[in-house]
Amino acid sequence: MTYDIGIIGAGVHGAAAAFHLARRGVSVVVFDQGPISGGPTGRSGGICRAYYTDPFLAETARDGIAFLADFEERTGGHQSGFRRTGAFYLHGPDDVAAAAETAARLGSLGVDSELVGADALPARLPDLDLDGVAVAVWEANAGYADPYAATVGLAAAARRHGAVFHPHRPAVALTEESRGAAVTTSDGRVHRFARLLVAAGPWTAALLRPLGVHLPLTVERHVVDVAEHDPADTAGLVPHILIDIPGGYYTTPQPRTQYLTGGVIPGSAADPGDFPGPLPGELHQLAAASAARSAARRPATVIGGWASVYDVSPDWQPVAGQVSEHVFVDAGTSGHGFKLAPAWGDHVARLLLDDPDPRFAAFGPSRFATGGELAAGFGAARIIG
């Protein structure tokens, strides 16, 4: 069969693009070397926040969160596991002006955000040690979702609209032809498309290199700790997402009395096909970072964790655009791409159909060669975006 568009990568970005293309009646097929959501997407912390310094990303995250909140209706009965908890973002003295500016901008974009000054913080966060915190921002509609369920749901909804998924069928070669692009898969078959989207996360740059496309993406290893409170002692629990920029970590509440902790600073370089799992010292270091703020977390027990990889762009912002006549890319989401994906995928679909939002051009891969890198985050915490 002949399809209009091929997609390499069945993570949340590939699945979202396939959904938005298929619902428009475009024929699309998706390949992945493993199962749907089997790569970094399935190991995401699942945070859903619109707290971005870039206005376009803030809008996209806002719309992505709305999609995840209404996931069942939008996908024909599938679940995203979205839970609205709200989120506090803690900032040190150097961030006061930038946090105030970001909160005001978010308000103008319809994101329910509130700047909380140092005087008001003890009343709002009575169970936290606020040493070194000069200001905070509260985002009421933030929360978390299940990345695996959301990606599988998007893929199922895309299939309902006619998309075809080929998990466990790696692309071993990409070639560009006069009328389109061809993908050779591990079974020796050649698949041809008018256009090809490479959304393969940390494998993207290597896949594109044989086409003469050299994207400045790197791969970093990051660790997430899972801890659990004593169910009999629920006093002082942190019920919302907490992103502690001075502390260098984030925490996300989970069902029962569990919570996740991850870092918001750069990680170590990694091979996406061969990187170590979490080391006990790393897990306990993350647990100690969050416990420094919360007395209730000091007796919590580390019960597990995982390591994953991020595909990181030089400015820690997503990379999406055309890289050759028939080939496009969506990668470099730098650890903060999950909540963007449901709405970002619509922008990618429009790009592939020659109807892009003009603002989307700012995220094109050519920006790194022309000095157009984007601002991101606060200090070393560029993953905030």
Side-chain angles (χ1 to χ4, degrees), residues 90-364:
L90 308 183
H91 289 277
D94 292 343
D95 292 346
V96 170
E101 181 182 349
T102 301
R105 185 185 304 114
L106 292 175
S108 72
L109 298 174
V111 176
D112 189 350
S113 59
E114 176 191 359
L115 188 72
V116 183
D119 292 345
L121 275 173
R124 298 291 293 273
L125 297 169
D127 298 312
L128 295 186
D129 180 345
L130 298 171
D131 183 49
V133 179
V135 70
V137 175
W138 166 249
E139 181 186 345
N141 291 321
Y144 68 92
D146 182 333
Y148 176 81
T151 305
V152 169
L154 283 167
R159 282 193 181 108
R160 184 165 54 86
H161 289 293
V164 174
F165 282 73
H166 290 303
H168 304 287
R169 192 174 297 185
V172 296
L174 310 183
T175 53
E176 193 154 22
E177 302 174 343
S178 60
R179 295 186 179 181
V183 176
T184 303
T185 49
S186 56
D187 54 7
R189 296 186 178 183
V190 179
H191 313 262
R192 290 181 168 84
F193 310 97
R195 288 186 167 180
L196 177 67
L197 173 68
V198 183
W203 294 273
T204 298
L207 281 168
L208 288 171
R209 209 168 289 130
L211 294 178
V213 177
H214 298 277
L215 294 177
L217 303 180
T218 56
V219 179
E220 290 188 0
R221 174 181 172 274
H222 287 257
V223 175
V224 174
D225 160 63
V226 184
E228 186 165 30
H229 295 280
D230 181 344
D233 182 13
T234 58
L237 298 190
V238 181
H240 42 69
I241 290 167
L242 185 69
I243 298 184
D244 183 351
I245 293 172
Y249 70 91
Y250 68 83
T251 60
T252 308
Q254 297 290 289
R256 300 180 297 279
T257 56
Q258 296 180 5
Y259 62 96
L260 308 180
T261 305
V264 297
I265 57 176
S268 57
D271 177 344
D274 183 18
F275 59 92
L279 305 175
E282 293 174 313
L283 296 177
H284 287 286
Q285 185 177 12
L286 285 168
S290 62
R293 293 271 185 221
S294 168
R297 287 177 168 169
R298 287 166 199 157
T301 302
V302 174
I303 60 172
W306 64 83
S308 187
V309 287
Y310 299 163
D311 53 319
V312 179
S313 72
D315 58 10
W316 284 76
Q317 300 289 40
V319 180
Q322 191 167 2
V323 293
S324 65
E325 186 176 0
H326 305 292
V327 181
F328 296 74
V329 66
D330 176 16
T333 51
S334 305
H336 58 93
F338 168 64
K339 90 289 287 177
L340 295 172
W344 184 266
D346 191 44
H347 286 293
V348 172
R350 289 181 57 187
L351 174 70
L352 288 161
L353 299 176
D354 295 322
D355 181 34
D357 184 316
R359 298 173 298 169
F360 202 56
F363 298 91

